Amino acid sequence: MTVEGAPTSDLALALQGKLQDSIDAQLRDLYGAYWRAMNRVVEAGKGRLRQDIIGGGFHRAQALANTWRGNVYPREKNSLDVAGWLYNRARLLIEVFDTGTVIKVRGNAQFLAIPVGPAKAIVRRLQQQKRKGLIGRDSWGRFEKDDSYVEQVARALGVDLVPIIAPDRQSGVLVAADNRTLTATGRNAKSQGAAATPLFALAKTATLSRRIKGRALLEEIMNGFPGDFVHALAGEMSVMQREGS
């Protein structure tokens, strides 16, 4: 610690009545170093997760990648007890390749069908029970499935599913053929005046250059967090702070 440009010991500061001011200043510096270190780790993790989505070749990949967010707490930067949070505003991306089903829409365009809404709960139940549907069978004439989840969801709901494809032919949704509105549990809604409930989101597979890591990458980041934080903290602390001076 220096006062007016000259090195000053804690004893000298105490005699001058400035020891508490010195302690407070050093503590504020430590608060800042801890917060910046946590922010570096969170930003690095967020960058890796976003690049995972971009590298997967999704249509409008940057917009999807930006759904990965990160925060550091406390925002006031007044504590050594800092925490980082990585989260996704489009949670389906985390497990997309575990639950997705490849289908063919009229014209032989292939799409990855990702369960949303009522279909998500049904798919999770099917996964837990390890049940498999019929593979390679034509269904309903509107598209052909390459996997069982689409047909099993349709069978569970008692309704055929049809695709609605966006004008750019890069994305779309699967809805009930009768345009029914469903609750989150798959029951018919009391009011059927609303738009049809999307059951699967569609992403054209021709744009997917590789499988994203999703949850596996998130777990990798979490496992490497302690070492990454220590390394980042060492880079943020001054020599005096690291040596405990």
Side-chain angles (χ1 to χ4, degrees), residues 8-242:
T8 307
S9 67
D10 287 345
L11 177 59
L13 289 171
L15 293 174
Q16 297 175 41
K18 297 180 179 179
L19 180 57
Q20 188 59 52
D21 290 342
S22 172
I23 293 174
D24 291 344
Q26 293 180 54
L27 195 55
R28 283 194 298 271
D29 289 343
L30 280 176
Y31 289 159
Y34 272 65
W35 196 94
R36 291 192 301 273
M38 179 63 71
N39 190 59
R40 285 175 59 176
V41 174
V42 168
E43 287 297 310
K46 182 176 68 177
R48 291 178 63 188
L49 290 163
R50 288 184 172 184
Q51 190 57 47
D52 184 43
I53 300 298
I54 293 173
F58 280 99
H59 176 58
R60 297 179 180 174
Q62 188 62 62
L64 287 174
N66 288 345
T67 59
W68 277 111
R69 301 296 180 89
N71 292 331
V72 179
Y73 300 97
R75 295 185 182 277
E76 294 77 13
K77 309 178 186 180
N78 60 356
S79 174
L80 299 180
D81 187 17
V82 293
W85 183 31
L86 289 168
Y87 63 100
N88 195 298
R89 296 177 62 190
R91 296 177 60 185
L92 61 86
L93 286 176
I94 299 177
E95 297 179 345
V96 60
F97 285 101
D98 292 332
T99 59
T101 297
V102 176
I103 65 170
K104 290 182 180 179
V105 176
R106 180 178 296 174
N108 287 326
Q110 291 191 350
F111 286 81
L112 181 68
I114 307 162
V116 296
K120 291 176 66 175
I122 295 173
V123 167
R124 287 170 182 163
R125 174 172 57 81
L126 294 173
Q127 287 181 319
Q128 291 172 354
Q129 297 173 349
K130 297 182 179 180
R131 285 164 37 187
K132 296 182 179 180
L134 301 175
I135 297 176
R137 176 181 174 183
D138 292 341
S139 56
W140 317 302
R142 297 298 299 273
F143 58 83
E144 297 175 352
K145 64 180 181 55
D146 294 324
D147 196 273
S148 63
Y149 285 134
V150 168
E151 182 166 316
Q152 290 190 56
V153 167
R155 186 162 58 245
L157 295 175
V159 62
D160 290 348
L161 306 185
V162 295
I164 299 176
I165 306 301
D168 61 6
R169 303 289 297 175
Q170 299 298 314
S171 60
V173 294
L174 288 180
V175 300
D178 57 6
N179 292 321
R180 71 178 64 176
T181 303
L182 300 166
T183 67
T185 59
R187 298 179 182 274
N188 291 331
K190 292 182 179 180
S191 174
Q192 290 295 318
T197 303
L199 296 170
F200 286 82
L202 301 179
K204 194 171 183 181
T205 58
T207 65
L208 300 179
S209 58
R210 66 169 177 81
R211 295 172 70 90
I212 64 172
K213 293 182 179 179
R215 182 175 296 279
L217 178 57
L218 184 60
E219 292 177 352
E220 181 181 316
I221 292 171
M222 291 173 60
N223 291 336
F225 170 79
D228 292 341
F229 178 73
V230 170
H231 180 76
L233 183 59
E236 291 294 342
M237 295 177 70
S238 66
V239 175
M240 291 182 62
Q241 288 172 328
R242 291 197 297 269

